[in-house]
Amino acid sequence: RFDLAYIDGSHHAVDVYRDAVLTWPLMVAGGIVVFDDYEWPMAASDAEAPKPGIDAFLAAHSGQYRELHRAYQVAIQKV
């Protein structure tokens, strides 16, 4: 179980989504997940950018978290 997870690495949307989905069940209530590179400007397409994967995860888990921060990074807290 984790209190904090920092999701960074691949910039591909599907990889970011998969990392988040695999991390989420391991988070304790009140745990914080930070996604890096939300506003990464170097992608050639949506598939090669973290933002669509992060947005898809957030939509799929609506009501299960509280958003703490959204800028170049996104931070959420599991409820």
Side-chain angles (χ1 to χ4, degrees):
R1 311 288 292 170
F2 297 102
D3 296 311
L4 176 67
Y6 191 86
I7 297 180
D8 186 20
S10 173
H11 287 117
H12 289 87
V14 68
D15 294 338
V16 175
Y17 181 82
R18 181 184 56 237
D19 289 348
V21 166
L22 293 173
T23 298
W24 195 243
L26 301 174
M27 299 306 297
V28 298
I32 295 172
V33 177
V34 179
F35 297 92
D36 198 21
D37 302 322
Y38 185 69
E39 296 180 355
W40 190 60
M42 304 298 289
S45 70
D46 281 350
E48 296 175 8
K51 186 179 188 299
I54 296 167
D55 288 342
F57 175 82
L58 296 177
H61 292 83
S62 179
Q64 299 178 26
Y65 65 88
R66 181 170 67 96
E67 188 171 307
L68 304 174
H69 177 78
R70 186 184 297 236
Y72 193 80
Q73 296 171 323
V74 174
I76 60 172
Q77 183 175 39
K78 190 172 187 177
V79 295

